[in-house]
Amino acid sequence: MQHDEVIWQVIRHNHCSFMAKITTGNFCRNPYNITGVCNRSSCPLANSRYATIRDHDGVFYLYMKTIERAHKPNELWERVKLPRNYEKALEIIDKHLMYWQKFLVHKAKQRLTKMTQMRIRMRKLALKTREKIMTTPRKEIKRESRREKKAETAAELDKSIEKELLERLNGGLYGDIHNILPEHFNKILDENELQAVSEDEEYEEEPEIEYVQGYDDLEEEDDIEDFGGFAIDKSLKNNDDAPEDEEEMVSVDGKRVKRRSESAHQKIEEDERRKSKKKAKVLVEVEHEDASERQRATF
C-alpha cells in the first residue's frame, strides 16, 4: 500500500535521482512535475493524486494520476487531449479536475497559459529569417585542404608527363611505330579538329555582296497588260460602226483598259521619234579626176 509521507521523507532526506540542488534552490527534473520545483505539494512521486500538462509535438495533453491505478504502472496516468482553443482547454481542465485540490487546478491552468504563450512565440520566430550560427570543424577543413594540395600536385605532374611525351612523339623520337591508348589518340584527334575549325573561322573571308535586279515579274505583267490594252483599243477602233449601247458598255467595263491603251500609244510614238532622231547621217565624198574639187552629199 502506498504511503505519500513515507515516500517524501525518503526522497527528500536520503536520495532522489530527479532532484537538482543549486544555490538558488532545489529543482526537479521529472517531466511530470507541474512546477519544476522540488517540494512536497508539487512532487509527482510523493502524491498519489496528481495532475499535470505535457506537450507532444505541439499538442497539449492533460495527465491525471489516481491511487486506484497505483498497482498498474502501465496504466498509471490517464491522458486527455486539449484543443488548440485556450478557452475550451480551460473548460476541459475544470471539468476533469472539478473535485481536485485547488492548488493542482490553479497550477495546471497556469502551466497551460505559459505553454500557449511559448507556442505562439515559437511560431513567430519560425516565420522570421534569422542567422544560423554553425561551428566550423577545424580538423575536417585542414584534412580537405591537404587533400586538395595533393590532388593539384598530382594533376600538374600528370600534365607535365603528358606534355613531355607528346613533344617526344611529335619530334619523332619513338619512330613510326608506337602504341598509344585509343582514348588518348581520340583526344588528340579531337583537339586537332577543333584547332583546324578555329583557324578556318579566323581566316574566313567576308561574304560577297551581289546586286540583283528586282521587280522583273511586275514589269513583265505591266507589259502584258499594255499589250492587251493595245489590242483591245484596236478592236474598238475597227468597230466604230457598232451601236452606241455597246460602246457605252465597253467604256464602262474597260475604263482601265482604255487608259492603259492610251499610255501604250504614247510610248510607241515616243520610241518612233527617238529612232528617227538617232538615225546616223552618212557623208559621201566624190572626187573627180579632172577637177580638184570635192563634192559632198549627205544621205
Side-chain angles (χ1 to χ4, degrees), residues 7-251:
I7 294 169
W8 174 248
Q9 290 294 329
V10 171
I11 291 170
R12 184 73 178 87
H13 298 290
N14 293 331
H15 175 71
C16 181
S17 60
F18 295 108
M19 187 169 59
K21 290 182 179 181
I22 308 172
T23 55
T24 56
N26 297 331
F27 294 94
C28 183
R29 296 195 188 96
N30 195 317
Y32 290 97
N33 196 319
I34 197 167
T35 58
V37 181
C38 183
N39 55 22
R40 175 73 176 80
S41 59
S42 60
C43 182
L45 300 175
N47 290 290
S48 58
R49 198 176 190 192
Y50 196 78
T52 185
I53 294 170
R54 293 189 65 188
D55 182 13
H56 289 285
D57 299 329
V59 181
F60 299 153
Y61 292 93
L62 175 63
Y63 283 81
M64 294 173 288
K65 183 179 78 168
T66 58
I67 197 169
E68 290 82 12
R69 294 190 299 273
H71 64 286
K72 292 181 180 180
N74 59 344
E75 297 177 2
L76 184 63
W77 293 93
E78 182 184 356
R79 189 174 73 171
V80 179
K81 186 178 178 181
L82 297 175
R84 288 186 176 273
N85 192 355
Y86 178 70
E87 295 178 355
K88 290 181 179 180
L90 290 175
E91 289 176 1
I92 290 169
I93 291 169
D94 289 332
K95 181 181 176 181
H96 285 86
L97 304 179
M98 188 180 293
Y99 302 107
W100 289 51
Q101 297 177 8
K102 290 182 180 181
F103 173 78
L104 289 173
V105 176
H106 175 66
K107 290 298 180 182
K109 290 181 179 179
Q110 192 176 10
R111 187 175 174 84
L112 178 65
T113 54
K114 291 288 183 182
M115 291 174 74
T116 50
Q117 290 172 2
M118 184 181 69
R119 185 166 60 183
I120 291 164
R121 286 198 299 271
M122 286 172 66
R123 286 178 182 173
K124 287 182 179 179
L125 291 172
L127 293 172
K128 290 181 180 178
T129 56
R130 299 176 65 188
E131 294 181 356
K132 190 176 181 181
I133 299 169
M134 297 177 68
T135 58
T136 56
R138 294 180 181 178
K139 290 183 179 179
E140 292 181 2
I141 292 168
K142 288 180 181 179
R143 195 187 307 127
E144 288 177 358
S145 63
R146 286 196 297 269
R147 287 177 181 175
E148 287 177 359
K149 288 179 182 178
K150 288 179 182 179
E152 287 178 359
T153 53
E156 290 176 358
L157 183 63
D158 291 338
K159 286 180 181 178
S160 62
I161 292 167
E162 187 178 355
K163 286 180 181 179
E164 185 66 25
L165 291 172
L166 288 172
E167 288 177 359
R168 290 181 182 182
L169 181 64
N170 294 326
L173 184 64
Y174 300 112
D176 296 332
I177 300 169
H178 46 267
N179 295 323
I180 301 174
L181 292 172
E183 296 176 356
H184 298 296
F185 184 73
N186 293 327
K187 185 179 178 182
I188 292 164
L189 289 175
D190 294 336
E191 289 177 356
N192 293 330
E193 287 178 359
L194 290 171
Q195 288 179 359
V197 170
S198 62
E199 289 177 359
D200 293 337
E201 289 178 354
E202 288 177 359
Y203 294 105
E204 194 175 82
E205 295 180 356
E206 294 182 358
E208 296 181 358
I209 299 170
E210 296 181 357
Y211 297 95
V212 182
Q213 187 178 359
Y215 305 106
D216 293 337
D217 299 334
L218 296 174
E219 288 180 359
E220 289 178 0
E221 289 178 0
D222 293 338
D223 295 339
I224 291 165
E225 287 177 356
D226 293 339
F227 182 73
F230 181 69
I232 290 165
D233 195 10
K234 277 186 177 180
S235 63
L236 289 171
K237 282 183 181 179
N238 293 328
N239 296 329
D240 290 333
D241 299 332
E244 294 179 356
D245 296 334
E246 291 180 359
E247 287 180 359
E248 287 176 1
M249 289 293 289
V250 171
S251 63

